Amino acid sequence: MKALYYVVYGLWYAFSLLPLRVHYVLSDVLYLLVYRLAGYRVGIVRKNLEHSFPEMTVAELRQTERRFYHWFCDYLVETVKLLTIRRDHLRRRMEFRGVEAVDRCVREGQSCAVYLGHLGNWEWIASLPLWVTAEAQCGQIYHALENATFDQLFLRLRQRWGAVCIPMAEILRRSVEFRRKGQATVIGYIADQVPFWNNIHHWCQFLHQDTPVLTGTERIARKMNQALFYIDVSRPRRGHYVAEFKLITRQPAELGEYEATDRYFSLLEQSIRRQPELWLWTHNRWKRTREEFDRRFIVVDGKVMPKEERQ
């Protein structure tokens, strides 16, 4: 396994050394292969776009679809480049705004939970430690990849600039440990994923669709009294991203249940509507429906259980 890792790492490293302008030429070729030739997940992308933007004409939907695949191929080569890109180069291409509000929380001893989405190049957001105060320990929730070799590679990429990757199952325990040490944290949560059936506790209207959503970020922020932020990502031009921090609340316990989660999805929808090609439309985001949930599951004392277990 180690030998395979070093082979893949060596190839990735060599490819990563190419200038970004060469990467973007390769991205244009990749676009033809992924979209035009292979039609990678075109059915899912098309369905998602049609349901999310019923106001768009067919021509507008197809244009958005093409722009998405162009950006998706850029994302792939940009992620490869992340292995060797220089600090100053990355800072010019991945700009963070509104960091002062985060620094203020950290200096006042309050940790921050940051909502992210699969919007823009979320891998480049791992460069946040280059922007926030050195007093903060940055990190991100991490879901292990099935392939062990690529899992090691992505851990290396995401922790290159000083952030730590924390498995979801360990986040509460690690947050308590950081607090005991007096260490303020800034932790990113990619919260636009599809929850497992037993983790569905809330539904919201998102892009015209009844959507099951993850609520763990809100629960952890309440328990740990963390400030809640949203990162609004835009791409002013190819190879350049702007990530702006937007404060949701510094007192999460004062909001109603699921109010912070609803605010997050409202902000995320605004970001997607501004530049729809930047969201990861290849995910089958709406594969779980409320009708199927109500047919198969029941909530007992806050826990989701299959109905047959209650019979």
Coordinates of all heavy atoms in Angstrom, one line a residue, residues 54-88:
P54 N -36.6 26.1 -12.5 CA -37.8 26.0 -13.5 C -38.0 27.2 -14.3 O -38.7 27.1 -15.3 CB -39.0 25.7 -12.5 CG -38.6 26.2 -11.2 CD -37.1 26.1 -11.1
E55 N -37.5 28.4 -13.9 CA -37.7 29.6 -14.6 C -36.8 29.7 -15.8 O -37.0 30.6 -16.7 CB -37.5 30.8 -13.7 CG -36.1 31.1 -13.2 CD -35.6 30.2 -12.1 OE1 -36.3 29.3 -11.7 OE2 -34.5 30.4 -11.6
M56 N -35.8 28.9 -15.9 CA -34.8 29.0 -17.0 C -35.4 28.3 -18.2 O -36.1 27.3 -18.2 CB -33.5 28.3 -16.6 CG -32.6 29.1 -15.7 SD -31.0 28.2 -15.6 CE -30.1 29.3 -14.5
T57 N -35.0 28.9 -19.4 CA -35.4 28.2 -20.7 C -34.4 27.0 -20.9 O -33.4 26.9 -20.2 CB -35.2 29.2 -21.8 OG1 -33.8 29.6 -22.0 CG2 -36.0 30.5 -21.6
V58 N -34.7 26.2 -21.9 CA -33.9 25.0 -22.2 C -32.5 25.5 -22.6 O -31.5 24.9 -22.2 CB -34.5 24.2 -23.3 CG1 -33.5 23.1 -23.7 CG2 -35.8 23.5 -22.8
A59 N -32.4 26.6 -23.4 CA -31.1 27.1 -23.8 C -30.3 27.6 -22.6 O -29.1 27.4 -22.5 CB -31.4 28.3 -24.8
E60 N -31.0 28.3 -21.6 CA -30.3 28.7 -20.5 C -29.8 27.6 -19.6 O -28.7 27.6 -19.0 CB -31.2 29.7 -19.6 CG -31.5 31.0 -20.3 CD -32.5 31.8 -19.6 OE1 -33.4 31.2 -18.9 OE2 -32.5 33.0 -19.7
L61 N -30.6 26.5 -19.5 CA -30.2 25.4 -18.7 C -29.0 24.7 -19.3 O -28.0 24.3 -18.6 CB -31.4 24.4 -18.6 CG -32.5 24.8 -17.7 CD1 -33.7 23.9 -17.9 CD2 -32.1 24.7 -16.2
R62 N -29.0 24.5 -20.7 CA -27.9 23.9 -21.3 C -26.6 24.8 -21.2 O -25.5 24.2 -21.1 CB -28.2 23.6 -22.8 CG -29.3 22.6 -23.0 CD -29.0 21.3 -22.5 NE -30.2 20.4 -22.6 CZ -31.1 20.2 -21.7 NH1 -31.0 20.9 -20.5 NH2 -32.1 19.4 -21.9
Q63 N -26.7 26.1 -21.3 CA -25.6 26.9 -21.1 C -25.0 26.8 -19.7 O -23.8 26.7 -19.5 CB -26.0 28.4 -21.4 CG -24.8 29.4 -21.3 CD -25.2 30.8 -21.5 OE1 -26.1 31.3 -20.8 NE2 -24.6 31.5 -22.4
T64 N -25.9 26.7 -18.7 CA -25.4 26.6 -17.3 C -24.7 25.2 -17.2 O -23.7 25.1 -16.5 CB -26.6 26.7 -16.4 OG1 -27.2 27.9 -16.5 CG2 -26.1 26.5 -14.9
E65 N -25.3 24.2 -17.8 CA -24.7 22.8 -17.8 C -23.3 22.9 -18.4 O -22.4 22.3 -17.8 CB -25.6 21.9 -18.6 CG -25.1 20.5 -18.7 CD -26.1 19.6 -19.5 OE1 -27.3 19.5 -19.0 OE2 -25.8 19.2 -20.6
R66 N -23.1 23.5 -19.5 CA -21.8 23.5 -20.1 C -20.8 24.3 -19.2 O -19.6 23.9 -19.1 CB -21.9 24.2 -21.5 CG -22.6 23.3 -22.5 CD -22.4 23.9 -23.9 NE -23.1 25.2 -24.1 CZ -24.3 25.4 -24.4 NH1 -25.1 24.3 -24.7 NH2 -24.8 26.6 -24.6
R67 N -21.3 25.4 -18.7 CA -20.4 26.2 -17.8 C -20.0 25.4 -16.6 O -18.9 25.5 -16.1 CB -21.1 27.5 -17.4 CG -21.2 28.5 -18.5 CD -22.0 29.8 -18.0 NE -22.0 30.8 -19.0 CZ -22.7 31.9 -18.9 NH1 -23.5 32.1 -17.9 NH2 -22.7 32.8 -19.9
F68 N -20.9 24.6 -16.1 CA -20.6 23.8 -14.9 C -19.5 22.8 -15.2 O -18.6 22.7 -14.5 CB -21.9 23.0 -14.4 CG -21.5 21.8 -13.6 CD1 -21.0 22.0 -12.3 CD2 -21.6 20.5 -14.1 CE1 -20.6 20.9 -11.5 CE2 -21.2 19.5 -13.3 CZ -20.7 19.7 -12.0
Y69 N -19.6 22.1 -16.3 CA -18.6 21.1 -16.7 C -17.2 21.8 -16.9 O -16.2 21.2 -16.6 CB -19.0 20.3 -17.8 CG -19.9 19.1 -17.4 CD1 -21.3 19.2 -17.5 CD2 -19.4 18.0 -16.9 CE1 -22.2 18.2 -17.1 CE2 -20.2 16.9 -16.5 CZ -21.6 17.1 -16.6 OH -22.4 16.0 -16.2
H70 N -17.2 23.0 -17.5 CA -16.0 23.7 -17.7 C -15.4 24.0 -16.3 O -14.2 23.8 -16.1 CB -16.2 25.0 -18.4 CG -16.2 24.9 -19.9 ND1 -15.0 24.5 -20.6 CD2 -17.1 25.1 -20.9 CE1 -15.3 24.5 -21.9 NE2 -16.5 24.8 -22.1
W71 N -16.2 24.5 -15.4 CA -15.7 24.8 -14.0 C -15.3 23.5 -13.3 O -14.2 23.4 -12.7 CB -16.7 25.5 -13.2 CG -16.3 25.4 -11.7 CD1 -15.4 26.2 -11.1 CD2 -16.7 24.5 -10.8 NE1 -15.2 25.8 -9.8 CE2 -16.0 24.7 -9.6 CE3 -17.6 23.4 -10.8 CZ2 -16.2 23.9 -8.4 CZ3 -17.8 22.6 -9.7 CH2 -17.1 22.9 -8.5
F72 N -16.0 22.4 -13.4 CA -15.7 21.2 -12.8 C -14.4 20.6 -13.2 O -13.6 20.2 -12.3 CB -16.8 20.1 -13.1 CG -16.6 18.8 -12.5 CD1 -16.7 18.6 -11.1 CD2 -16.3 17.7 -13.3 CE1 -16.5 17.4 -10.5 CE2 -16.1 16.4 -12.7 CZ -16.2 16.3 -11.3
C73 N -14.0 20.7 -14.5 CA -12.7 20.3 -14.9 C -11.6 21.2 -14.4 O -10.5 20.8 -14.1 CB -12.7 20.2 -16.4 SG -13.8 18.9 -17.1
D74 N -11.9 22.5 -14.3 CA -11.0 23.5 -13.7 C -10.7 23.1 -12.2 O -9.6 23.1 -11.7 CB -11.5 24.9 -13.7 CG -11.3 25.6 -15.1 OD1 -10.7 24.9 -16.0 OD2 -11.7 26.7 -15.2
Y75 N -11.8 22.7 -11.5 CA -11.7 22.3 -10.1 C -10.7 21.1 -10.0 O -9.9 21.1 -9.1 CB -13.1 21.9 -9.5 CG -13.0 21.0 -8.4 CD1 -12.6 21.5 -7.1 CD2 -13.2 19.6 -8.5 CE1 -12.6 20.6 -6.0 CE2 -13.2 18.8 -7.5 CZ -12.8 19.3 -6.2 OH -12.7 18.4 -5.1
L76 N -10.8 20.2 -10.9 CA -10.0 19.0 -10.8 C -8.5 19.3 -11.0 O -7.7 18.9 -10.2 CB -10.4 18.0 -11.9 CG -11.8 17.4 -11.8 CD1 -12.1 16.5 -13.0 CD2 -11.9 16.6 -10.5
V77 N -8.2 20.2 -12.0 CA -6.7 20.5 -12.2 C -6.2 21.4 -11.1 O -5.1 21.4 -10.7 CB -6.5 21.0 -13.6 CG1 -6.9 20.0 -14.7 CG2 -7.2 22.4 -13.8
E78 N -7.1 22.3 -10.6 CA -6.7 23.2 -9.5 C -6.4 22.4 -8.3 O -5.5 22.8 -7.5 CB -7.8 24.2 -9.3 CG -8.0 25.3 -10.3 CD -9.3 26.1 -10.2 OE1 -10.1 25.8 -9.3 OE2 -9.5 27.0 -11.0
T79 N -7.2 21.4 -8.0 CA -6.9 20.5 -6.8 C -5.6 19.8 -7.0 O -4.8 19.7 -6.0 CB -8.1 19.5 -6.6 OG1 -9.3 20.3 -6.5 CG2 -7.8 18.7 -5.4
V80 N -5.2 19.4 -8.2 CA -3.9 18.8 -8.4 C -2.8 19.8 -8.1 O -1.8 19.5 -7.4 CB -3.8 18.2 -9.8 CG1 -2.4 17.8 -10.1 CG2 -4.8 17.0 -10.0
K81 N -3.0 21.0 -8.6 CA -2.0 22.1 -8.4 C -1.8 22.4 -7.0 O -0.7 22.9 -6.6 CB -2.5 23.3 -9.2 CG -1.4 24.5 -9.2 CD -0.1 24.1 -9.9 CE 0.9 25.2 -9.8 NZ 2.2 24.8 -10.4
L82 N -2.8 22.2 -6.1 CA -2.7 22.5 -4.7 C -1.5 21.9 -4.0 O -1.0 22.4 -3.0 CB -4.0 22.2 -4.0 CG -4.2 22.6 -2.6 CD1 -4.2 24.2 -2.5 CD2 -5.6 22.1 -2.1
L83 N -1.0 20.8 -4.5 CA 0.0 20.0 -3.9 C 1.3 20.8 -3.9 O 2.1 20.7 -2.9 CB 0.3 18.7 -4.6 CG 1.3 17.8 -4.0 CD1 0.9 17.4 -2.5 CD2 1.5 16.5 -4.8
T84 N 1.6 21.7 -4.9 CA 2.9 22.4 -5.0 C 2.7 23.9 -5.1 O 3.7 24.6 -5.2 CB 3.7 21.9 -6.2 OG1 3.0 22.1 -7.4 CG2 4.0 20.4 -6.0
I85 N 1.5 24.4 -5.2 CA 1.4 25.8 -5.4 C 2.0 26.6 -4.3 O 2.0 26.2 -3.1 CB -0.2 26.2 -5.5 CG1 -0.3 27.6 -6.1 CG2 -0.9 26.0 -4.2 CD1 -1.8 27.9 -6.5
R86 N 2.6 27.7 -4.7 CA 3.3 28.6 -3.7 C 2.3 29.3 -2.8 O 1.2 29.7 -3.3 CB 4.3 29.6 -4.3 CG 5.4 28.9 -5.1 CD 6.5 30.0 -5.5 NE 5.9 31.2 -6.0 CZ 5.6 31.4 -7.2 NH1 5.8 30.5 -8.2 NH2 5.1 32.6 -7.6
R87 N 2.8 29.6 -1.6 CA 1.9 30.4 -0.7 C 1.4 31.7 -1.2 O 0.2 32.0 -1.2 CB 2.7 30.6 0.6 CG 2.0 31.4 1.7 CD 2.9 31.7 2.8 NE 3.4 30.5 3.4 CZ 3.0 30.0 4.6 NH1 2.2 30.7 5.3 NH2 3.5 28.9 5.1
D88 N 2.4 32.5 -1.8 CA 2.0 33.8 -2.3 C 1.1 33.7 -3.5 O 0.2 34.5 -3.7 CB 3.2 34.6 -2.6 CG 4.1 34.0 -3.7 OD1 4.1 32.7 -3.8 OD2 4.8 34.7 -4.4

